[in-house]
């Protein structure tokens, strides 16, 4: 073998990749193949220990409209035009399996793009994935805080504007992403919908592992009331921190049993066998941004605070006749961030793949045998992009 020739091919293909933005189909396919192989050789160039250095590698992280934030409820501006969040297609049948992955930063459930937000935002948004942020048994780990209070956990359901072809494309355009954020608290009872998801964490304890789980009613992971929320313009909460997220933070919270909470906090590992905990970013400066609220806490007397440790989930919710989870959501704001870290991972992955592909092509040619790469379809592209997002958020 002529090693120098190989080296030059690698170098050349890297340069070509940089110059063209790596649009080569083969490269993308190779990248996907890489990505579908389990244990994580995906190297992410950021982590929660280096959080104060994110902006040196990812300049957007130092921008003026970053997420998360602390919501001061008394300072939020009531906006009567913010209608209930309306969802469609959220009830996924059990025959349709969903991929759950430990990406080393969080656990990510890929969502079909048939799940939609059809109300509460000015455009239609397609679901990409959902993921979680948590602390540890001794400390809460939500990203957003409310009046300075941090909640035990936070779920982000990431969507992208339907006018774009993929979440990765949308992620670089203002308003391209909409994230629904749900605060997670601990309660007395087991949450039956979360029970369709959490036990599978035991199958993906190592970074890069993934498993297929039966579809279920994703709507059930959200609070009953989707009409009460805060809205603001922000960013992905992980590198590359693109400031393209239209955030919706629900005022009502969801509750997990103590056992379920511990499953979330203590099961999955990041690299080097560390338990993955405290995967949240601290609140960022508002820098003059406005936080809107879809509801007025003054009119009509004081409502049960969503954060009340009470069985909020059990209290009848007038606006949410929600037993019909299938294609019915209420609530209006959908905004939030996508994972910018994923985007970076994709970029690096593509560059890596280019060199890898060049290598494989060379080897194949020298063996005068061409192997056909499996054809990847669009769904896979979206799937991959979603995976990348998870890394970010
Ligand atoms: C977020 O959505 C609201 C509609 O609720 C819209 O008015 C606003 O312009 C959106 N923000 C961005 C950055 O697109
Ligand atoms: C998950 O792990 C359990 C044991 O921990 C095993 O019984 C089950 O078959 C696994 N499920 C999948 C989908 O791998
Ligand atoms: C978010 O940004 C959009 C576009 O710049 C703007 O129209 C909208 O008013 C902003 N929303 C808030 C809550 O500031
Ligand atoms: C929900 O809204 C009430 C009333 O403004 C507020 O007291 C409470 O802190 C809010 N909770 C969350 C989680 O937003
Ligand atoms: C739910 O939907 C079904 C059929 O789509 C309907 O028969 C039922 O009345 C609905 N239930 C509620 C609570 O809206």
């Amino acid at each position: 073998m002529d090693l120098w020739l190989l080296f030059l091919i690698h170098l050349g293909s890297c340069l070509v990749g940089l110059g063209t933005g790596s649009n080569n189909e083969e490269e993308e396919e190779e990248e996907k193949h890489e990505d579908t192989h389990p244990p994580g050789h995906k190297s992410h160039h950021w982590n929660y220990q280096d959080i104060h250095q994110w902006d040196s590698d990812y300049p957007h992280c130092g921008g003026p409209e970053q997420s998360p934030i602390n919501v001061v409820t008394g300072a939020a501006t009531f906006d009567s035009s913010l209608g209930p969040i309306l969802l469609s297609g959220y009830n996924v049948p059990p025959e349709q399996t969903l991929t759950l992955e430990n990406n080393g930063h969080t656990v990510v459930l890929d969502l079909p793009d048939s799940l939609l937000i059809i109300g509460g935002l000015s455009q239609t948004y397609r679901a990409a994935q959902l993921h979680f942020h948590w602390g540890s048994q001794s400390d809460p780990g939500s990203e957003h805080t409310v009046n300075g209070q941090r909640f035990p956990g936070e779920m982000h359901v990431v969507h992208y504007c339907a006018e774009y072809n993929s979440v990765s494309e949308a992620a670089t355009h203002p308003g391209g992403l909409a994230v629904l954020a749900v605060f997670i608290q601990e309660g007395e009872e087991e949450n039956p919908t979360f029970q369709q998801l959490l036990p599978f964490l035991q199958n993906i304890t190592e970074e890069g592992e993934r498993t297929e789980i039966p579809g279920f009613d994703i709507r059930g992971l959200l609070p009953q009331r989707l009409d009460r929320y805060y809205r603001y313009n922000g960013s992905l909460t992980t590198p590359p921190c693109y400031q393209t997220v239209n955030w919706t933070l629900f005022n009502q919270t969801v509750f997990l049993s103590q056992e379920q909470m511990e499953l979330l906090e203590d099961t999955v590992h990041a690299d080097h066998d560390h338990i993955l905990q405290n995967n949240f970013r601290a609140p960022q400066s508002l820098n003059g941004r406005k936080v809107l609220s879809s509801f007025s806490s003054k009119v009509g007397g004081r409502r049960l605070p969503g954060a009340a440790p009470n069985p909020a989930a059990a209290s009848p919710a007038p606006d949410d006749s929600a037993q019909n989870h299938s294609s019915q959501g209420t609530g209006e704001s959908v905004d939030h961030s996508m994972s910018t870290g994923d985007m970076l991972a994709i970029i690096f992955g593509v560059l890596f793949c280019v060199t890898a592909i060049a290598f494989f092509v060379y080897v194949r040619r020298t063996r005068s045998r061409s192997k056909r790469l499996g054809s990847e379809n669009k769904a896979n592209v979206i799937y991959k992009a979603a995976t990348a997002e998870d890394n970010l958020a």
Side-chain angles (χ1 to χ4, degrees):
M1 275 278 169
D2 185 341
L3 291 177
W4 275 107
L5 179 55
L6 283 176
F7 174 78
L8 288 173
I9 288 171
H10 282 223
L11 184 64
S13 56
C14 272
L15 292 174
V16 168
L18 285 168
T20 63
S22 327
N23 286 327
N24 185 315
E25 275 185 11
E26 275 194 7
E27 293 167 8
E28 290 192 5
E29 295 202 0
E30 197 71 22
E31 179 188 14
K32 285 171 211 151
H33 282 275
E34 291 274 333
D35 203 70
T36 53
H37 287 151
H41 51 263
K42 257 180 14 177
S43 62
H44 302 302
H45 301 270
W46 62 271
N47 60 53
Y48 285 100
Q49 283 72 51
D50 287 347
I51 205 158
H52 297 294
Q53 281 140 40
W54 284 1
D55 62 348
S56 60
D57 284 334
Y58 307 94
H60 292 287
C61 298
E65 298 191 334
Q66 289 292 291
S67 293
I69 59 167
N70 174 48
V71 174
V72 179
T73 57
T77 305
F78 171 56
D79 184 340
S80 62
S81 75
L82 296 178
I85 297 291
L86 297 171
L87 305 173
S88 170
Y90 260 55
N91 195 356
V92 181
E95 312 83 67
Q96 188 176 354
T97 61
L98 305 172
T99 302
L100 184 67
E101 181 188 12
N102 169 1
N103 67 14
H105 301 302
T106 183
V107 288
V108 184
L109 183 68
D110 284 326
L111 297 175
D113 63 3
S114 50
L115 277 62
L116 305 175
I117 298 172
I118 57 173
L121 286 161
S122 36
Q123 297 185 76
T124 297
Y125 283 79
R126 294 185 183 281
Q129 49 103 330
L130 63 84
H131 63 266
F132 298 90
H133 300 270
W134 60 86
S136 66
Q137 284 192 34
S138 52
D139 295 299
S142 71
E143 298 213 290
H144 290 88
T145 55
V146 177
N147 298 327
Q149 181 190 359
R150 189 180 304 286
F151 293 86
E154 186 170 332
M155 178 178 73
H156 291 161
V157 191
V158 179
H159 301 74
Y160 64 97
C161 183
E163 73 181 45
Y164 300 106
N165 291 318
S166 69
V167 68
S168 49
E169 182 189 345
T172 56
H173 295 85
L177 302 176
V179 180
L180 304 181
V182 178
F183 293 114
I184 299 171
Q185 295 191 280
E186 193 174 304
E188 297 292 308
E189 290 167 20
E190 182 174 284
N191 184 315
T193 311
F194 276 82
Q195 204 57 19
Q196 317 245 28
L197 170 71
L198 293 174
F200 291 100
L201 297 187
Q202 286 158 342
N203 297 65
I204 54 166
T205 56
E206 301 312 316
E207 178 178 0
E209 287 187 321
R210 48 176 70 176
T211 186
E212 298 290 317
I213 72 174
F216 61 98
D217 191 357
I218 306 296
R219 170 65 181 87
L221 299 174
L222 302 174
Q224 284 191 320
R225 299 202 54 166
L226 302 183
D227 61 330
R228 294 167 59 84
Y229 59 85
Y230 301 101
R231 159 115 351 121
Y232 78 99
N233 291 332
S235 76
L236 300 180
T237 64
T238 59
C241 306
Y242 295 136
Q243 299 182 144
T244 54
V245 179
N246 205 326
W247 280 93
T248 300
L249 317 180
F250 290 117
N251 179 242
Q252 200 175 45
T253 64
V254 300
F255 289 82
L256 302 185
S257 68
Q258 186 186 346
E259 289 74 18
Q260 290 180 310
M261 201 69 225
E262 288 174 6
L263 201 46
L264 180 62
E265 290 167 344
D266 295 343
T267 306
V268 301
H269 293 71
D271 50 358
H272 310 311
D273 262 357
H274 289 123
I275 297 186
L276 178 54
Q277 292 182 326
N278 301 313
N279 56 349
F280 63 90
R281 188 188 198 193
Q284 307 291 301
S285 301
L286 264 184
N287 294 321
R289 280 176 289 173
K290 284 214 296 193
V291 177
L292 305 179
S293 123
S294 70
F295 60 100
S296 165
S297 46
K298 287 160 195 151
V299 175
R302 213 159 238 291
R303 270 192 179 268
L304 221 205
N310 268 348
S315 66
D319 68 308
D320 194 1
S321 52
Q323 262 52 288
N324 248 350
H325 297 193
S326 46
S327 58
Q328 170 174 343
T330 54
E332 89 176 16
S333 71
V334 174
D335 69 66
H336 193 280
S337 73
M338 188 176 162
S339 63
T340 49
D342 287 339
M343 301 309 308
L344 282 177
I346 289 173
I347 291 166
F348 284 115
V350 169
L351 289 176
F352 177 82
C353 286
V354 170
T355 60
I357 285 168
F359 175 80
F360 285 126
V361 167
Y362 174 81
V363 169
R364 283 174 191 148
R365 281 186 187 158
T366 60
R367 290 178 184 173
S368 69
R369 171 171 162 256
S370 76
K371 172 186 157 201
R372 198 171 47 110
L373 291 170
S375 67
E376 293 281 347
N377 57 23
K378 194 169 186 179
N380 282 339
V381 174
I382 291 170
Y383 168 84
K384 178 179 181 53
T387 300
E389 280 183 354
D390 289 334
N391 291 342
L392 295 179

